[in-house]
Amino acid sequence: MLFYSVAGLVLASEVPLAGRIPLPQAAEAAAIVRLADIPDPVSGSTVTGPNWRAGKGELLLSIPGLASFLLVDGKEIRVRPASGGRLDDAAAFLTQNLLGLLMQQRGRIVLRASSIAIDGRAVLFCGDPAAGKSTVAAAMAARGRPVLGDDFCTVDWGADGAILIHGDSGCPMLWTDSIEALELGSAAGAAVRPGCFKYHVRPPACASDGLPLGTIYFLGEDRRVETHRIGRPRGMKAVQAIRDSVYRPRALATAERRLRTFEAAARIARQAPMFSLARTSGFDWIDEGLNAVEIGWNGAPERRGSP
Amino acid sequence: MTHIIWLASYPKSGNTWMRSLLANLTAAGERPADINMLGRKYGTASSRGLFEDQTLLDSGLLTDDEIDAMRPDVYLAWADQLRDRRDDPFVMKCHDAYTRLPGDRALLGNSVARGAIVVVRDPRDVALSFADHRGASIDEVIDLMCDPSAAVGRSVRAQRPQLRQCLLDWSGHVLSWLDQKDVPAHLVRYEDMEADTIAILAAAARFAGFDVTRDQAAKAARLSAFDALRNQEQMAGFTEAAKDRSFFRRGHSGGWRTALSRAQAERIETAHRRTMTRLRYAI
């Protein structure tokens, strides 16, 4: 059995999880990943998708020809590679997708964001697929900012009502073009999945988990800006931006869970400083854009670039 | 009854114009629909976000072929959700050719849509506009339009915001939509849109299931006139434009006559003669 730290929890796994932070032998794990048969169908499904079904305490997800996964009560992930499928393939989805869904099944608020630490506080970069979340995290790491997580982060509230952020405790995963643009070839490890062009990139430093929230940036490509532009969503736009950043919202299996998640989104929007970060295509914006983020951290973010 | 209407076209054939026209059918007063909100008002078949929301998976871990194998079920699930949410048609932009997967299943989910508005344009004008949009030479784009394995959005060294879209060659693309039997197709020629925007829009809108009057169609045509769209782009930019290039470039047909060499025009005419003839493009 192997042990890992994921979003502040100890995870035991029969399957090696590349890119996750390994732990020494742990006495007790909060959740376990095991290779096992999976019963079909899931009893009492309340929500379904094209390749998954969720019921009370269960989520069955299949990837045709590759693997099936059953998440149980936020405590267990059962993995069954497809006939002729490779365990390496299943492990890639475990590492990146299933752990976020597991956190969600545990009732935690999960955002689709990369996260880094600046002066002991978490800075989040939310965004759609291909927005550049991982690239920004890796570029910030190269500037000496410890990485908290790459794919998702979980949000908790401390006893004093302050927001605490747990990253996913994983290495940034970058495509070839990002690795070349950021000159991170020497830090690049194995492909996330055999044969794909996305690689684990070991950051110089990782942050300890459970940091107070500093700032949230909503990152997106906008070809209209010259380099980048920072703005500030307010009111309902801010709430909507957080709601749009909830990790895999379709998997929230009950109306009560969906309501609670969206109430949490509104609470985050009230408490957290939030900015939009529109960036042009390619990588030319990164130096100037991340300078602005760091300036913003020390004072009011400046508007730079031109529409 | 499903609500999805495919708005299908080869790139740079008038898809955005038709989306703007349809969006302006319900414009409030004289304020035109924001060209930068068309993607939110309607959908895009190749949206990576839609795929990930529906499958719960990181599409970056899947090959383009593995993604394609799951796409039919994504649209079926999406159609079910739309049915629960709304009564009006949901127009989805689509540049994919109408292709079939191994096992003869349609990439777009067989009868998942109630119909397809298929917009076509003279391929000689498409070449001109597509070359400008891609920042490529006209000859390179003609090569693409003659390549049966042509695709856009392949994720090889980098992840693209859109999923891979197989185009086939230009004729293959057009005929794939017009000759498929899964969903009713309504053909719209770009040149006819130019000649009588109101009538062509009204017919397409009624086909899609919009309840539209001639006055609404006339207003939509006015708000979506080429100059109006270009003004919007000049004032606020257009997110679908290539970097440093205008999306709404010329807007009228026949530009190829002066911009293409005789050899370039003949390459297109030779490769696509039968389809051009069927679509009444003079050679």
Side-chain angles (χ1 to χ4, degrees), chain A residues 70-94:
Chain A
L70 180 66
L71 283 68
V72 184
D73 292 331
K75 295 176 181 169
E76 182 181 5
I77 302 177
R78 295 182 205 167
V79 187
R80 188 186 61 194
S83 173
R86 297 177 302 192
L87 187 57
D88 282 354
D89 288 330
F93 291 93
L94 257 177

Side-chain angles (χ1 to χ4, degrees), chain A residues 170-230:
Chain A
C171 299
M173 288 166 279
L174 299 188
W175 287 75
T176 306
D177 63 335
S178 292
I179 290 171
E180 290 177 359
L182 300 178
E183 299 178 351
L184 292 173
S186 60
V192 175
R193 181 186 167 202
C196 85
F197 295 87
K198 191 174 184 182
Y199 301 87
H200 295 289
V201 177
R202 181 70 60 187
C206 294
S208 58
D209 223 351
L211 294 182
L213 174 62
T215 307
I216 299 176
Y217 286 91
F218 300 99
L219 181 64
E221 180 181 316
D222 187 337
R223 297 173 191 170
R224 296 172 296 173
V225 300
E226 192 173 318
T227 58
H228 69 281
R229 183 174 57 197
I230 292 178

